[in-house]
Amino acid sequence: MVYLTRLEHFNAAHKLYNAGWTPEKNEQVFGKCANENWHGHNYELYVTVKGQPSPDTGFVFDVKQLSLLIREHVIEKVDHLNLNMDVDFMKGKMCSTENLAIGIWNELKKHLPAGVQLHGIKLYETPRIYVEYFGEV
Amino acid sequence: MVYLTRLEHFNAAHKLYNAGWTPEKNEQVFGKCANENWHGHNYELYVTVKGQPSPDTGFVFDVKQLSLLIREHVIEKVDHLNLNMDVDFMKGKMCSTENLAIGIWNELKKHLPAGVQLHGIKLYETPRIYVEYFGEV
Amino acid sequence: MVYLTRLEHFNAAHKLYNAGWTPEKNEQVFGKCANENWHGHNYELYVTVKGQPSPDTGFVFDVKQLSLLIREHVIEKVDHLNLNMDVDFMKGKMCSTENLAIGIWNELKKHLPAGVQLHGIKLYETPRIYVEYFGEV
Amino acid sequence: MVYLTRLEHFNAAHKLYNAGWTPEKNEQVFGKCANENWHGHNYELYVTVKGQPSPDTGFVFDVKQLSLLIREHVIEKVDHLNLNMDVDFMKGKMCSTENLAIGIWNELKKHLPAGVQLHGIKLYETPRIYVEYFGEV
Amino acid sequence: MVYLTRLEHFNAAHKLYNAGWTPEKNEQVFGKCANENWHGHNYELYVTVKGQPSPDTGFVFDVKQLSLLIREHVIEKVDHLNLNMDVDFMKGKMCSTENLAIGIWNELKKHLPAGVQLHGIKLYETPRIYVEYFGEV
Amino acid sequence: MVYLTRLEHFNAAHKLYNAGWTPEKNEQVFGKCANENWHGHNYELYVTVKGQPSPDTGFVFDVKQLSLLIREHVIEKVDHLNLNMDVDFMKGKMCSTENLAIGIWNELKKHLPAGVQLHGIKLYETPRIYVEYFGEV
């Protein structure tokens, strides 16, 4: 088994805000992240697939195709957008990095061709904070 | 002359939108950056001061003090905020990285102690785009 | 299961020196790392916890709290200090990156709140050398 | 169990070209990577070994020895060379990053001393593409 | 005056070889860089322009347009190619990073629109070696 | 004029301590940096030379020779050592990054061959703090 990873990035606005709570409780729990006027990040997204290299190409999967799939099914839906307002697969969820990584996994999972296994998502929110998700087990 | 640089960072939302233009012209000029619901970035801010090292300390300026000054007079005003809506020194200006770098220069300039010269501001909007400003000459 | 990682850093002096050996054997085994007057590093510390995201916050664990815990229970005990002389949890151990990573694991393990699992420690001694520890298994 | 990783790098030329295919099919599948006059990369190679730290040294393995082994058995064979033409352990294989990582694993596996286990190879072809291999399982 | 920088990258093969010298002298002067079968690099290219921010956009120059110009007039001519064999603006020159930076400057200089000044080229050959060129003065 | 830069690194211990002051004043001014048992850093050293590329080689200066000169005249004198105790060119000076950069400039200046101009020293003490020195002007 060989693991192949591609890095893509996107920029987005968001806030951490639980609509079922008072503004005071939101500020107490989320601090500056609850700013009602939003803040934002440069997200760095690592997508890892796994499989056996093909004898004809040496590839587990064509990394250019992987890049195109990520751009079409993820980046187009989140880049230069507002994660809370503009992203259908985040509707009704808290816009944490954890939930965003799970959401991205689910988007990619359904669009990868047969014979390529999605292994993991690694999502940097800042250079000092990242989340990893490997699917449900 | 010795140059001393300190890196700080902040996360913010913004959009590029000229209120004197139609939405169509804004989209044509700024593309995705004009998204009305905002997007955002992890900004990396390098501040450079210059001077002669003190014989007593070996310092051009105490880098901890420099860090505290940047945090007090810049980071507190922009971090986890909306550059268009929440930042007084950007009011009435286009929220480009160029104007943000100039605004940060002006904020710091007035708060540095006598004997320390501000040399330059280097501001990364993304890992692939940055702006530098060295004051008016 | 979702994995959340926070990066913190510290600067410290150390040497690699086995007091049960002659100076010659120490120099033969550890080379420049045995310099009796010490050398030092900028350590980069990645701490990973895991769990299920809370429906209320979207968090596996509040990353600000994670940062504060790492600072209180690790960074305060090692930063700008001498690992051989000043750090109680390294007393009587060789100050290798391996043992330092294990020591940091043990410190954090006892201070994480119930419901948060410590998954791993990744500790860079230089940009080209790092150690990972995931507890005893 | 503790994991120790060392980063080394090398620069090499290669092309992706299946000699059993027409030039048109090569171009269709590999695009610019099939350029007959070659292209090249700065490869970043992470090698991870694992084991128990020695009580005498605190080391899983002496990282200087690990570096020397990687340089002798891998870097010398690939650095500033042409992966398709000059590298014996890649003869007859497609020069993909996947196959290169497997080839490097096999070279290192046979030269690591008893008592040190090779855990994994992580090979960056560009800052946005990497492959990992952990041996056959 | 404000300086705006955009990073682009390309991968290429090359060798350092002076055709007026014997193979022995080439090897003596250029060492491994003279390997007749080529080697290669991931080049990181920083292009800096300067000017006054426009009041309408806040831009010195539209960074998306800058990116497109660099891609059209530089990246297309060098990416996944052989610098010695495939690049017209390097014909008859030694393929050093110095000459490549000058060649890239000259290509960009003639394609930047009026009102935008090219300030500098910074070209990384490896993460540890880079060259800067600011035009003839 | 073309500028060529080479990155080298070293690891060292130091403290900031003015022997003419009381321990209290040292702690007040230098804080944790005055710890009597030392701390340390991974220093990243960028050395820039400038000149005209040679028509025969395309080089401003052979970057391998530059690397060897830096290693012989700087790295050997500071790597895995104590900057306050073990480094002759820092004797009698405060071990600040400012003074270290000036000291390194002076060491290199006298060992560069005729025809190569030293342009600048850029010295990172941590990933967030660096100093630049371009000689006396």
Side-chain angles (χ1 to χ4, degrees), chain F:
Chain F
M1 192 69 86
V2 180
Y3 299 77
L4 171 70
T5 300
R6 172 75 193 180
L7 167 61
E8 301 286 343
H9 66 270
F10 59 93
N11 311 316
H14 82 143
K15 68 179 164 191
L16 293 171
Y17 199 89
N18 184 328
W21 290 350
T22 61
E24 292 71 27
K25 174 142 189 201
N26 273 289
E27 173 151 358
Q28 178 198 322
V29 173
F30 297 119
K32 296 183 298 181
C33 300
N35 173 39
E36 64 178 332
N37 291 335
W38 320 96
H39 65 285
H41 299 288
N42 301 331
Y43 291 90
E44 300 282 333
L45 170 62
Y46 293 81
V47 176
T48 302
V49 297
K50 62 186 171 190
Q52 294 293 336
S54 151
D56 284 345
T57 61
F59 289 168
V60 163
F61 186 45
D62 181 341
V63 78
K64 290 190 305 294
Q65 283 188 46
L66 180 57
S67 172
L68 290 173
L69 280 171
I70 303 169
R71 292 182 191 208
E72 179 181 350
H73 298 295
V74 178
I75 306 301
E76 283 299 313
K77 295 180 179 170
V78 292
D79 188 35
H80 282 78
L81 292 170
N82 183 308
L83 300 175
N84 301 63
M85 298 175 73
D86 298 329
V87 180
D88 56 3
F89 68 79
M90 294 303 288
K91 285 281 155 60
K93 297 179 202 160
M94 293 298 298
C95 278
S96 67
T97 316
E98 287 90 333
N99 283 343
L100 187 54
I102 296 171
I104 289 170
W105 169 281
N106 290 333
E107 290 303 297
L108 280 173
K109 189 78 178 173
K110 57 190 180 205
H111 293 294
L112 279 177
V116 186
Q117 292 180 65
L118 184 59
H119 173 70
I121 297 294
K122 184 178 186 178
L123 182 63
Y124 277 82
E125 187 185 66
T126 75
R128 309 183 80 80
I129 301 171
Y130 66 82
V131 158
E132 291 164 297
Y133 183 61
F134 303 95
E136 290 193 22
V137 250

